Amino acid sequence: MAHTFQRARSEEQRAQRRRAILDTAASMLTEMPVSQVSLNELSRRVGLAKSNVLRYFESREAVLLDLLDVAWREWTEYLEGALASDVDAHAPLRERGDQVAAVLAASLADRPVLCDLTSSQAAVLERNVSPDVAAEFKRTAIANVGKLAALVRTHVPELSEQDAPRFAAYCVLTAGAIWTHTQPSAAMLAAYEADPSLAAMRIDFAPSLREVLEVGLSGLLARASG
């Protein structure tokens, strides 16, 4: 149900308005992919004129970039406990690396909104924002990648300070790319059903991401030791 707001006059009211816009956009993303989230529908649901929404966020993409940052921070907060629980500190290096990859892949598979936003980041979300918004988002992205790198290195200390951020970046880029290819269109689904021989081209997100992360982490460690 759409909300009806009075004009925000204080900083607290403006913060509440921004939060309402973000919460509404987040709710929409549980119902539809990023590509279907429009500023018109967001405005209608939040109970504001489109021009008023643009007082708080300069574009639809700015709203979604903010949500991407929130989703990333929530994910890394979750990972702190998940990695501590599921990675055996006494296991051999390769086994620990595979356990880290498994936690990362499974937790991302459980976060389709984060994956969808990540897959849209470079091609869509960064294309309709000002330099100031772009720079602020990149600052938060650097911090988020740094947090992920530190978490991974806690459980795989053999990974160097230089390679840990590389692996974290690989995780982000790979997750976005694989997600795109694991969300087939209706036409593709029909083609798979009509011709079972095409099923080999269908990719499952979690196992595919896990395998790539396992290989990437093993490769970085091998290059460092060599």
Side-chain angles (χ1 to χ4, degrees), residues 16-27:
Q16 290 174 346
R17 188 67 49 80
R18 283 179 60 90
R19 185 72 257 167
I21 293 168
L22 288 171
D23 288 347
T24 302
S27 177

Side-chain angles (χ1 to χ4, degrees), residues 81-95:
L83 289 168
S85 173
D86 294 350
V87 178
D88 181 0
H90 304 292
L93 175 56
R94 178 168 178 174
E95 186 175 337

Side-chain angles (χ1 to χ4, degrees), residues 163 166 170 215-226:
D163 284 341
R166 290 191 181 102
Y170 296 162
V215 172
L217 184 53
S218 296
L220 287 170
L221 290 166
R223 286 171 63 90
S225 64

Side-chain angles (χ1 to χ4, degrees), residues 182-199:
T182 55
Q183 307 304 307
S185 66
M188 279 295 138
L189 289 173
Y192 292 142
E193 184 174 352
D195 186 352
S197 70
L198 300 176

Side-chain angles (χ1 to χ4, degrees), residues 146-161:
K147 176 67 179 296
L148 176 57
L151 286 171
V152 171
R153 197 157 183 260
T154 296
H155 299 280
V156 188
E158 296 87 348
L159 196 62
S160 71
E161 290 185 10

Side-chain angles (χ1 to χ4, degrees), residues 39-85:
L39 193 57
N40 285 335
E41 180 62 11
L42 173 59
S43 302
R44 186 191 72 78
R45 292 196 186 198
V46 83
L48 289 171
K50 187 164 124 178
S51 59
N52 286 334
V53 171
L54 293 174
R55 291 176 183 269
Y56 300 94
F57 295 93
E58 64 182 34
S59 63
R60 175 192 84 112
E61 288 74 15
V63 175
L64 296 174
L65 282 178
D66 209 324
L67 284 179
L68 175 54
D69 174 49
V70 170
W72 259 89
R73 286 188 282 110
E74 290 175 347
W75 178 51
T76 53
E77 287 172 7
Y78 165 83
L79 283 177
E80 190 166 358
L83 289 168
S85 173

